[in-house]
Amino acid sequence: MKKIIYSLMFFFLMTSINAQQTPAPKQSNAISIEGATAHLGNGQIIKNSLVMFANGKITFVGSAMAKIARQGTVINAKGKHIYPGFIAANASLGLAEIDAVKATRDFDEVGAMNPHIRSLIAYNAESKVVESMRPNGVLMAQTSPRGGTISGTSSIVQLDAWNWEDAAFKTDDAIHINWPGSFTRGRWWLGEDPALKADPKYGKNIDNIKQYFMNAKNYLASNKEKTHLPYEATKGLFDGTQKVFIHTSGAKEITDAVTICKDLGIKNIVIVHGDGAESVADMLVKNNVGVVLDRPHRNPNNEDDAYDYTYTIAKVLIDKGVLVCLGMEGQMERMNTRNLPFYAGTFAAHGLDKEVALKLLTSNSAKILGIDDKVGTLEVGKDATLFISEGDALDMRGNILTKAYIQGRDISLETHQTKLWKRYANKYKSK
């Protein structure tokens, strides 16, 4: 009887396995896409455009009326739209598959101070969740750790790869810190007052972070008789080759975080979440600090915030001169990352210019992540990471991809979800 049960379990396991689409081969033939409306990702548009790329790099971007020989295969995209590949900042793609199954979750390590923990080596390139990003135009992501005070180190990946080594686009780009809050609520389940009040431990929590980085800085300047891996991992923060992403909200917390990091000699700072950042926008601009905003589809954090605060915060910050992009941390964040373009569309529906909203996923993301020399816009010399959509890619009604390329490679837009859609579409057509 046991043999029968084990055989059945093995059968169901094997029949349920469906690996990600085979990654596309390296580009071998040049491509010319003409007739589409090109959204360059920097706020500019070219109607009736011509975009050409070869060997994974863009070789021409301009008007289709230009008297220039087309290269290789010519794609007629008249009436369609072409965009740079969307980039998801502060996502945890590939670090968990099923939230309810602990064995598939690899984004949160034991311990409070983990700057040496690298999210990249835990990245699952064959994740079904990752696969489902591409049909909506999300072609790159910053895969970031969670948990603790210092969560670990993120890396930037492209979403069509055999393994994490192939996926890596920029390794160990930033260390992530969960900054303590200056207010706290009592634990009502223990009979404590649940009202919001000042946290008496805030100062001590800040001192712990300061002391940790001071110790790391002193270690790096010492003879290093004994290797300390966590301290070694912070070297990039002090020599300027690595950024620090500080996850916090509140004007006081943001100000404290930026001031303390500057005092420690950490210059490349990014604020994640950033509710309340509009109150200290001048300080952020002065110190060249970017903000990775949360998704707009949520309730405001504070009782006195405007009802539409989360929908208008992007425009408010951009109007003040702050560099802003869109992140994905929150509930169901990995699955919801595929909706990245529609969150930007929500900002556009609440006062932000459509092409400026697009920058939240393209040029702004690339600048904040430090990869704008290679991706983020349709420009000659940059990677041919782009896609063709039948309509407006920030609107779910128009976001219908016909082609997508990562570094010039013609990637598959087929996923387990599209297979199920076709299966059941055929089922109901037959009746």
Side-chain angles (χ1 to χ4, degrees):
M1 184 66 182
K2 287 184 178 179
K3 289 183 178 179
I4 295 174
I5 293 174
Y6 291 149
S7 296
L8 287 171
M9 289 175 63
F10 179 77
F11 172 78
F12 287 120
L13 176 63
M14 294 306 294
T15 54
S16 65
I17 293 176
N18 180 17
Q20 186 188 40
Q21 289 291 317
T22 301
K26 186 176 180 180
Q27 182 182 9
S28 57
N29 297 316
I31 301 290
S32 298
I33 304 170
E34 65 175 336
T37 298
H39 303 260
L40 304 189
N42 59 5
Q44 299 179 17
I45 297 176
I46 301 176
K47 295 183 178 180
N48 189 23
S49 68
L50 173 62
V51 177
M52 300 191 291
F53 53 94
N55 299 316
K57 298 290 184 180
I58 298 174
T59 57
F60 181 84
V61 177
S63 171
M65 302 300 290
K67 295 181 178 180
I68 183 173
R70 276 48 173 168
Q71 300 175 353
T73 302
V74 178
I75 297 175
N76 182 357
K78 186 176 181 180
K80 297 181 180 180
H81 299 255
I82 183 170
Y83 295 86
F86 295 153
I87 307 167
N90 187 39
S92 56
L93 283 174
L95 302 183
E97 194 71 3
I98 304 170
D99 285 344
V101 180
K102 189 174 182 180
T104 72
R105 299 164 57 189
D106 201 8
F107 52 79
D108 185 356
E109 293 294 332
V110 174
M113 304 294 191
N114 296 315
H116 59 302
I117 299 298
R118 304 175 68 218
S119 63
L120 181 62
I121 61 174
Y123 177 74
N124 176 18
E126 293 199 9
S127 164
K128 285 187 178 183
V129 180
V130 169
E131 179 185 79
S132 68
M133 302 296 115
R134 302 193 305 253
N136 280 2
V138 181
L139 306 183
M140 298 182 68
Q142 179 194 44
T143 182
S144 306
R146 303 283 184 255
T149 301
I150 304 177
S151 303
T153 303
S154 61
S155 289
I156 299 161
V157 294
Q158 53 86 8
L159 306 185
D160 184 62
W162 286 106
N163 47 48
W164 67 262
E165 292 96 332
D166 293 340
F169 186 82
K170 183 176 183 179
T171 60
D172 306 326
D173 70 295
I175 289 176
H176 291 249
I177 300 175
N178 291 308
W179 199 261
S182 61
F183 288 87
T184 186
R185 293 184 184 275
R187 296 167 294 182
W188 59 266
W189 58 92
L190 295 179
E192 298 175 355
D193 181 6
L196 190 68
K197 54 184 176 295
D199 187 351
K201 297 181 181 178
Y202 178 68
K204 182 179 179 181
N205 293 335
I206 296 301
D207 288 340
N208 289 339
I209 295 175
K210 287 171 62 177
Q211 190 61 54
Y212 186 88
F213 283 106
M214 287 174 65
N215 291 343
K217 194 173 183 179
N218 291 335
Y219 162 82
L220 293 168
S222 69
N223 294 328
K224 305 180 188 177
E225 294 179 0
K226 188 175 181 181
T227 300
H228 191 291
L229 288 178
Y231 289 166
E232 287 281 355
T234 67
K235 181 180 179 181
L237 296 182
F238 299 109
D239 65 18
T241 60
Q242 203 172 33
K243 296 191 176 188
V244 60
F245 276 56
I246 302 175
H247 299 231
T248 190
S249 286
K252 175 176 175 53
E253 288 85 344
I254 293 171
T255 301
D256 287 346
V258 173
T259 302
I260 289 171
C261 283
K262 289 290 183 179
D263 289 344
L264 288 167
I266 300 172
K267 299 178 181 179
N268 296 326
I269 305 166
V270 176
I271 297 296
V272 180
H273 307 315
D275 282 3
E278 70 281 1
S279 301
V280 291
D282 291 343
M283 184 268 294
L284 295 177
V285 173
K286 179 180 178 181
N287 290 285
N288 195 29
V289 176
V291 176
V292 180
L293 290 176
D294 287 335
R295 295 169 264 172
H297 296 182
R298 57 189 173 89
N299 291 326
N301 285 337
N302 303 310
E303 293 180 357
D304 55 351
D305 284 338
Y307 73 94
D308 60 350
Y309 175 87
T310 63
Y311 297 99
T312 59
I313 182 61
K315 177 173 172 52
V316 170
L317 288 176
I318 289 171
D319 287 348
K320 290 176 178 288
V322 179
L323 182 64
V324 174
C325 74
L326 183 55
M328 287 306 306
E329 189 171 352
Q331 291 185 337
M332 293 287 288
E333 63 179 80
R334 287 163 292 283
M335 296 71 171
N336 274 322
T337 302
R338 67 187 177 198
N339 293 323
L340 185 74
F342 312 138
Y343 295 134
T346 298
F347 285 128
H350 289 79
L352 198 61
D353 178 82
K354 181 64 71 71
E355 297 305 312
V356 176
L358 177 65
K359 291 168 67 175
L360 301 180
L361 320 177
T362 54
S363 59
N364 284 11
S365 282
K367 288 176 183 176
I368 287 176
L369 299 182
I371 54 175
D372 55 307
D373 60 327
K374 295 181 179 178
V375 293
T377 55
L378 299 178
E379 290 184 59
V380 173
K382 290 193 175 183
D383 287 357
T385 298
L386 49 91
F387 65 88
I388 303 171
S389 174
E390 290 190 4
D392 181 358
L394 302 190
D395 187 328
M396 64 179 64
R397 296 167 297 182
N399 185 302
I400 304 172
L401 271 64
T402 56
K403 279 286 186 181
Y405 302 87
I406 293 179
Q407 297 170 326
R409 297 180 291 111
D410 188 354
I411 67 170
S412 172
L413 296 175
E414 194 74 32
T415 73
H416 65 291
Q417 293 178 334
T418 59
K419 289 176 181 177
L420 288 172
W421 163 57
K422 291 175 182 177
R423 174 185 177 187
Y424 288 103
N426 290 331
K427 173 184 176 181
Y428 291 108
K429 280 180 183 178
S430 63
K431 292 185 178 180

